[in-house]
Amino acid sequence: MSTVIEQAVEARLVAAAPRMPTIPATLHYDRRDPFAVRMSFPAPATLEGVEVYWTFARELLMDGVDRAVGDGDVRVRPYGFDRTVVEFHAPEGTAIVHIRTGELRRFLRRTTALVPVGREHRHVDLDQDLAELMRDAC
């Protein structure tokens, strides 16, 4: 069984203009980092012209499809019947995207099939992580 799940999603960027362009995004989950999800945007979809990705708690995304959560760099909340808003806050500004809630729920179901909620700790290799931290500190 694969240890990685990737799913393309269609995101709509909320901009100052009334038009909400569709931008491609990819949700990524790796069993080796079981508490986190990553959302990436390809270079053509970013202002900087380089791929941008955000890593945040899987729990934040799970909770955010049902209620407003987050008070840091990433915030998630339901929007209407079938959309979820994900806000990314950085010193350069804020990006707000709408994603179909059904797509997020499908992704989350796949992640919990791979690593059930509450069992994430079984997939963390603390010895390896500590060794990497120590190697990087030298």
Side-chain angles (χ1 to χ4, degrees), residues 58 73 123:
R58 175 173 72 160
D73 294 344
H123 299 275

Side-chain angles (χ1 to χ4, degrees), residues 7 9 27 39 61 64-65 76 83-86 99-110:
Q7 179 178 316
V9 294
L27 292 167
M39 188 168 196
L61 193 56
V65 296
V76 185
R83 298 276 178 186
T84 298
V85 173
V86 183
I99 303 168
R100 287 188 183 103
T101 303
E103 290 183 51
L104 293 176
R105 289 189 192 279
R106 182 173 151 248
F107 172 75
L108 291 167
R109 277 193 305 273
R110 294 174 64 204

Side-chain angles (χ1 to χ4, degrees), residues 22-24 41-52:
T22 299
I23 57 172
F41 301 92
T46 69
L47 293 175
E48 297 83 17
V50 297
E51 180 180 24
V52 172

Side-chain angles (χ1 to χ4, degrees), residues 1 5 29 31 34 37 58-59 62 104-120 123:
M1 177 186 279
I5 295 171
Y29 182 78
R31 180 169 54 185
V37 295
R58 175 173 72 160
E59 181 179 23
M62 289 177 151
L104 293 176
R105 289 189 192 279
R106 182 173 151 248
F107 172 75
L108 291 167
R109 277 193 305 273
R110 294 174 64 204
T111 70
T112 56
L114 187 61
V115 178
V117 174
R119 302 203 177 219
E120 295 92 347
H123 299 275

Side-chain angles (χ1 to χ4, degrees), residues 24-94:
T26 302
L27 292 167
H28 178 93
Y29 182 78
D30 189 333
R31 180 169 54 185
R32 294 170 298 182
D33 190 5
F35 292 100
V37 295
R38 186 175 75 207
M39 188 168 196
S40 62
F41 301 92
T46 69
L47 293 175
E48 297 83 17
V50 297
E51 180 180 24
V52 172
Y53 67 90
W54 289 80
T55 302
F56 51 96
R58 175 173 72 160
E59 181 179 23
L60 184 74
L61 193 56
M62 289 177 151
D63 292 346
V65 296
D66 295 317
R67 61 184 175 85
V69 293
D71 58 6
D73 294 344
V74 180
R75 302 170 192 176
V76 185
R77 69 179 186 279
Y79 182 79
F81 176 71
D82 66 343
R83 298 276 178 186
T84 298
V85 173
V86 183
E87 296 180 14
F88 301 99
H89 296 262
E92 301 81 19
T94 300

